Amino acid sequence: MDPLAALATLPGVADAVDSVRKAVDRVYGHRVMRRRSNEVTSEAALRGARGSAALSGADWALEEVRRRTDFSGVDGDEEAPAVGAALRLTAEAGQLLSIWRQSPLRVLARLHLVAAADQGDTVGRPRTLGEPVDEPLIELPAPDANEVAGRLEGLSQLIIAGSSAPALVTAAVVHGELLALRPFGSHNGLVARAAERIVLVGSGLDPKSICPAEVGHAELGRAAYVAALEGYVSGTPEGMAAWITHCGKAVELGVRESTAVCEALQRGAA
């Protein structure tokens, strides 16, 4: 039984998968990608980090993210650490691709360690009974630690077993499950979006990491993000399909962003 493949048959999901595949193929076929793909990848990483940070409450202008070097927040800027965490996660995700299929829980622990940096002894491990969750932009009730442990193990087994499901479906489920569980004491949204990126890249859908879904999630807005997540949490076929198609739209918007980068590079404007 392949539960992820079953999700691919939900109404609207096949169309979303097909639309994403065509969009990704178009940007990979851009003439700039033949000569300057590394530059597109670097720019996509920066813009993806900015988008992910925006969804975590730190909505900085791209040029501010590009300009800044200090993200410690020691100057009283409470948003700076979230931007720094998003940038670190974007850089780290590419180093974890080979580990993901063998040990997804190890990767998630590493992502949280990178995001949370030196925030005490809760870093890099799922929360235990009684430990709070600091994820103010996601207001859905958080499952208790026992449920988190069981569902994380279930997610891990699904990834290790492999699936015939399209990459978009797997990425959306990983993203949605981590947001629903909020397994860590902090930075769960950032970790969930980094894990989505790992799946999209590692699956071969976006091997050069030039289609930043985080840009699309931010562009679609927090209200739509939370509403789609509520559909995932409901567990209904309609809700699951809505979440997966929402993630598909985010990828397509990420493709549009990188297409604009390609066009700018072609014109010599970037």
Side-chain angles (χ1 to χ4, degrees):
M1 185 175 179
D2 188 345
L4 294 179
L7 294 176
T9 67
L10 293 175
V13 171
D15 288 342
V17 167
D18 184 57
S19 184
V20 165
R21 177 77 267 176
K22 288 177 179 176
V24 172
D25 286 347
R26 281 195 298 272
V27 72
Y28 269 85
H30 197 287
R31 60 185 300 179
V32 165
M33 288 296 295
R34 293 196 294 270
R35 298 174 286 110
R36 305 177 71 177
S37 64
N38 288 342
E39 293 172 69
V40 181
T41 295
S42 296
E43 190 64 21
L46 185 71
R47 295 178 185 221
R50 193 219 71 82
S52 191
L55 283 170
S56 288
D59 192 1
W60 286 14
L62 180 63
E63 291 311 312
E64 178 68 7
V65 179
R66 200 189 305 278
R67 180 186 68 82
R68 287 281 288 268
T69 56
D70 179 11
F71 299 96
S72 65
V74 294
D75 58 356
D77 189 344
E78 296 180 357
E79 295 181 353
V83 179
L87 288 166
R88 292 193 301 274
L89 283 174
T90 299
E92 186 72 13
Q95 310 303 312
L96 299 172
L97 294 170
S98 62
I99 306 172
W100 174 253
R101 285 292 299 272
Q102 286 74 43
S103 185
L105 296 184
R106 179 181 163 196
V107 169
L108 293 175
R110 175 63 185 170
L111 290 173
H112 187 250
L113 182 66
V114 168
D118 56 354
Q119 292 186 356
D121 60 3
T122 63
V123 171
R125 63 160 177 81
R127 55 190 168 85
T128 58
L129 286 172
E131 289 183 341
V133 179
D134 179 17
E135 200 69 42
L137 298 183
I138 303 295
E139 298 175 355
L140 295 169
D144 67 32
N146 289 332
E147 182 179 347
V148 167
R151 287 174 61 176
L152 274 181
E153 181 60 30
L155 180 64
S156 175
Q157 292 304 314
L158 281 177
I159 299 302
I160 292 170
S163 172
S164 62
L168 173 64
V169 173
T170 303
V173 168
V174 167
H175 184 172
E177 189 70 356
L178 292 174
L179 275 182
L181 295 179
R182 278 147 287 161
F184 302 106
S186 63
H187 298 87
N188 290 287
L190 292 172
V191 169
R193 291 184 287 275
E196 179 186 49
R197 162 78 9 225
I198 287 172
V199 175
L200 292 171
V201 174
S203 68
L205 176 65
D206 180 21
K208 294 184 183 294
S209 194
I210 63 165
C211 306
E214 304 93 330
V215 168
H217 286 301
E219 186 171 336
L220 289 167
R222 177 178 172 264
Y225 189 64
V226 172
L229 177 63
E230 288 174 351
Y232 177 88
V233 171
S234 75
T236 64
E238 296 80 9
M240 296 294 289
W243 170 252
I244 295 167
T245 56
H246 180 87
C247 290
K249 291 175 186 174
V251 175
E252 291 191 62
L253 288 170
V255 168
R256 187 177 72 179
E257 187 85 356
S258 286
T259 301
V261 170
C262 287
E263 294 294 332
L265 287 170
Q266 185 169 287
R267 295 191 305 269

